[in-house]
Amino acid sequence: MMPSQLTRAAVVEHPHSFRPRSAGGKGRISVRDLDIVFATGSGPQRAVASASLEIQPGEFVSLLGPSGCGKSTLMNSVAGFVKPTRGEVLLDGHSIVKPGPDRGMVFQQHSLFPWKTVKQNVAFGPLMAGAGAREAESVANTFLALVGLSRYANAFPTTLSGGMQQRVGIARALANYPSVLLMDEPFGALDAQTRSMMQENLLEIWGEFKNTVLFVTHDIDEAVFLSDRIVVMSASPGRIIADIPVRLPRPRTQELLTTPEFMALKRECLALIREQTLRAFEQQNQAG
Amino acid sequence: MSLNPSPRPPLSEAVASGPFESVERSAAKPAPAEAQPAVDGAVGYRRLLPVDWDRYLVRIGALLVAALGWHLASTYGFDFFVRFDNVPGPLVVGAEFLAQASSQEFYVHIFHSMQRIAMAYGLAVVLGVTLGVLMGRSRFAEDLILPYIEILRPIPAVAWIPLAILMMPTEQASIVFITFLGALFPIVINTVHGVEQTPKVLVRAARSLGASNAAILWHVVLPGALPSIVAGLAIGMGVAWFSLLAGEIISGQYGIGYFTWSAYTLVEYPKIIIGMLVIGGLGSLCTLLVRKACSPLLRWQTEGAKS
């Protein structure tokens, strides 16, 4: 069964509530001369250094870098959780001051409300946006159908597998129709088979919504497979050291992973990441 | 799908499940009924019985052994460091209990104790949870309130009795006050603990979904703290009974504590033991009621633990 049929079936099932609005030219992210410095016990620590980045509406961009390089910090500044020490972060020309439903977040794991059922989790965003209980529930049903979890609507999240929990997380973030989807290593805790299924399905869903996606990962295959662009960050402090366009045709499937074009991009990223990882190791050795 | 020899799910089901589903079902935790090995199956079946009857047999047996020992000790006047010659045996106590159970005064005592518990505990729950949430959410509130809690908490209920009698307008008020203090501290401490443990990622998730501070308190902080709060409520109920009895023994004209103490002064020894057993029974019953009343709110926790 073609996955896109499923989403179409969801449209038929809820003709009134489901409108996969394209973000309509919204979702432009501008990061300008961004510095983020944290105060730590051993003095100030620079997590992000002079980062500048322009992301077009509807673009799928991955932030790739060794662990601890500040890529999550950069994303958190777009989310509104972290304030810039210097520079600015804009969404559609407006400075980001706090988190908001226009930027849906998907976290690595354990981010669902365990005391709410799957459906209540997904309905939470619409409810907070002022929708009535019935309307919020109908939106939740739609998005659960979109990720193929209608059968688990009344289950509690902890009874679901890790992959299913992440699908609920995606449905929950999308239920607010955000112009930007921020994903912080969303598949990092999943096994390899589940992860590759999740990647393909994320692309299908994104194909319906065409919102801007900022995707943090340290998995090179994942970054190349998903993205329009890969932004590579250096070891701490995190600087942007490369911005690699990925001109692979869409829709993408797993066969892509063995093509020479994919391999070439992967090799390019691998060289950059390896160099940065070695640097990170050296830093750690010096610190220790 | 009556005869389906292949182990694969019937086609209709495979289609009904979404694109993720067919592959990922194996990764999902299996439903308990379909995929457990035979050995576990037997245990699972026994769990379906309404209670673990064999374990309850052991528990009742343990109590019977103690009653038998008590009977023998008081019949034969056991006297080695601990003296049983003045202690009435279980049969005497049982007969006296039947007599008491048919007298109206006995229930008046119980009613007075229950009334004090209800007032003091209700007050302690409202104030304890409120203070606990404030302290857990605001550092200023914690710095303001914590010193009082830390100093007052170790003072046992009995030590409050003189001051309570001096300060409170009526005897009833002083007993309720002492009971209230006993219940308050465990509730406050457990609420603070639960609130402070709110996972940061859940607060962030709620914020990015557009939740206000009030919504975060109601939808994230309170439900997350609930297991800890419920534990505090149960402990608080136990301490409330403990404190109530201290208050009733020293002052008061009614109440099960007064009943017990006056039995001692009037040399009605069987009534002492009846009073004690009623206290134990009512205390356990109230704690059980608190847990039962809260358990629907914690269904997410028990269901999650089952799978």
Side-chain angles (χ1 to χ4, degrees):
Chain A
M1 163 170 170
M2 283 295 290
S4 61
Q5 274 176 297
L6 175 96
T7 43
R8 228 167 280 136
V11 179
V12 174
E13 204 181 325
H14 301 279
H16 302 297
S17 56
F18 189 79
R19 276 173 238 104
R21 313 163 195 167
S22 83
K26 282 194 154 189
R28 178 188 306 277
I29 301 170
S30 317
V31 178
R32 292 179 190 152
D33 289 323
L34 179 70
D35 270 21
I36 295 175
V37 181
F38 290 121
T40 65
S42 54
Q45 185 163 9
R46 243 175 144 194
V48 178
S50 342
S52 289
L53 181 63
E54 198 74 26
I55 301 174
Q56 302 305 317
E59 218 177 356
F60 197 125
V61 175
S62 285
L63 280 177
L64 182 68
S67 5
C69 74
K71 52 193 192 295
S72 290
T73 309
L74 176 53
M75 167 172 288
N76 281 336
S77 73
V78 179
F81 296 132
V82 176
K83 286 202 168 57
T85 312
R86 198 174 61 84
E88 56 181 356
V89 185
L90 308 171
L91 175 64
D92 296 319
H94 301 288
S95 185
I96 290 169
V97 289
K98 60 175 188 177
D102 51 352
R103 284 148 289 144
M105 275 293 288
V106 180
F107 300 86
Q108 183 169 9
Q109 56 179 342
H110 304 311
S111 76
L112 299 176
F113 306 121
W115 40 84
K116 290 185 185 292
T117 62
V118 164
K119 192 198 281 182
Q120 288 169 336
N121 263 280
V122 181
F124 186 73
L127 219 51
M128 291 299 113
R134 189 175 292 183
E135 192 191 339
E137 186 179 332
S138 126
V139 173
N141 284 332
T142 306
F143 279 89
L144 281 178
L146 181 73
V147 296
L149 286 178
S150 297
R151 282 200 300 159
Y152 297 88
N154 295 317
F156 285 106
T158 43
T159 62
L160 268 54
S161 70
M164 290 155 106
Q165 291 186 21
Q166 287 310 86
R167 280 147 63 189
V168 178
I170 292 171
R172 185 177 68 172
L174 287 173
N176 274 339
Y177 296 99
S179 55
V180 175
L181 194 58
L182 302 172
M183 308 185 81
D184 193 354
E185 305 203 27
F187 310 143
L190 305 178
D191 63 85
Q193 283 76 28
T194 310
R195 191 185 312 157
S196 71
M197 284 301 295
M198 295 288 289
Q199 289 165 358
E200 281 194 54
N201 282 273
L202 173 63
L203 287 185
E204 282 157 28
I205 292 168
W206 176 64
E208 298 272 345
F209 288 85
K210 281 289 176 202
N211 44 11
T212 312
V213 179
L214 185 56
F215 191 101
V216 165
T217 182
H218 58 249
D219 181 333
I220 295 170
D221 282 33
E222 186 168 74
V224 177
F225 180 70
L226 293 174
S227 316
D228 295 324
R229 260 164 77 198
I230 301 174
V231 173
V232 184
M233 288 183 74
S234 70
S236 172
R239 293 172 196 281
I240 293 173
I241 54 168
D243 194 334
I244 303 165
V246 181
R247 296 200 183 83
L248 299 171
R250 293 185 191 271
R252 296 178 187 170
T253 53
Q254 295 294 314
E255 287 82 68
L256 188 73
L257 298 175
T258 48
T259 60
E261 295 83 0
F262 186 93
M263 292 297 186
L265 281 163
K266 185 175 168 178
R267 204 169 295 128
E268 188 180 349
C269 293
L270 202 58
L272 285 163
I273 289 294
R274 191 175 154 71
E275 188 186 322
Q276 292 309 319
T277 310
L278 285 173
R279 258 193 61 203
F281 273 144
E282 274 169 32
Q283 284 173 355
Q284 279 159 16
N285 288 342
Q286 280 164 13
Chain B
M1 57 160 280
S2 54
L3 286 172
N4 190 356
S6 82
R8 293 169 56 194
L11 191 63
S12 59
E13 200 182 321
V15 173
S17 50
F20 290 95
E21 219 122 299
S22 44
V23 169
E24 225 211 301
R25 276 195 70 182
S26 54
K29 286 162 189 164
E34 63 185 29
Q36 275 187 348
V39 183
D40 279 8
V43 176
Y45 180 70
R46 228 174 53 183
R47 285 254 164 90
L48 289 178
L49 288 172
V51 284
D52 294 329
W53 58 273
D54 49 344
R55 294 189 61 198
Y56 277 93
L57 274 184
V58 174
R59 292 173 195 195
I60 291 166
L63 286 179
L64 286 179
V65 168
L68 183 69
W70 171 22
H71 174 71
L72 292 176
S74 44
T75 317
Y76 295 104
F78 181 85
D79 183 3
F80 179 74
F81 190 68
V82 181
R83 292 166 49 199
F84 268 80
D85 46 356
N86 274 327
V87 177
L91 297 176
V92 182
V93 171
E96 179 64 27
F97 179 75
L98 289 179
Q100 287 294 328
S102 55
S103 84
Q104 208 184 344
E105 208 195 335
F106 184 60
Y107 297 102
V108 173
H109 287 298
I110 290 179
F111 171 77
H112 272 83
S113 288
M114 292 296 269
Q115 196 184 32
R116 286 167 185 149
I117 286 284
M119 286 193 284
Y121 188 71
L123 214 62
V125 170
V126 172
L127 196 72
V129 173
T130 309
L131 284 181
V133 170
L134 275 176
M135 289 168 68
R137 293 297 285 168
S138 144
R139 194 177 297 176
F140 178 70
E142 181 165 18
D143 290 342
L144 205 65
I145 303 167
L146 196 67
Y148 292 98
I149 305 262
E150 287 303 325
I151 291 171
L152 299 182
R153 189 164 62 110
I155 302 173
V158 191
W160 275 101
I161 290 170
L163 200 60
I165 292 171
L166 289 177
M167 287 168 67
M168 289 292 154
T170 62
E171 214 160 52
Q172 174 79 343
S174 59
I175 298 175
V176 170
F177 173 69
I178 290 166
T179 310
F180 157 79
L181 277 183
L184 180 69
F185 295 116
I187 296 176
V188 173
I189 301 284
N190 274 274
T191 305
V192 173
H193 182 70
V195 167
E196 283 181 343
Q197 276 190 325
T198 312
K200 215 173 175 180
V201 65
L202 296 186
V203 176
R204 285 193 163 185
R207 258 190 222 298
S208 78
L209 290 166
S212 63
N213 281 337
I216 287 173
L217 183 67
W218 182 251
H219 289 279
V220 182
V221 175
L222 282 179
L226 208 58
S228 183
I229 294 176
V230 170
L233 292 182
I235 299 169
M237 182 53 97
V239 183
W241 273 94
F242 182 89
S243 312
L244 171 80
L245 267 294
E248 284 184 344
I249 283 176
I250 309 299
S251 64
Q253 291 180 335
Y254 289 106
I256 202 71
Y258 172 81
F259 174 89
T260 308
W261 192 250
S262 65
Y264 173 69
T265 50
L266 298 173
V267 205
E268 295 172 325
Y269 292 151
K271 280 172 75 182
I272 298 177
I273 295 168
I274 292 169
M276 289 169 66
L277 292 179
V278 167
I279 292 162
L282 288 179
S284 303
L285 187 71
C286 288
T287 308
L288 189 73
L289 282 178
V290 168
R291 289 200 181 276
K292 285 282 171 214
C294 296
S295 75
L297 296 170
L298 295 177
R299 206 167 61 90
W300 58 273
Q301 225 188 10
T302 41
E303 296 224 343
K306 254 188 263 168
S307 62

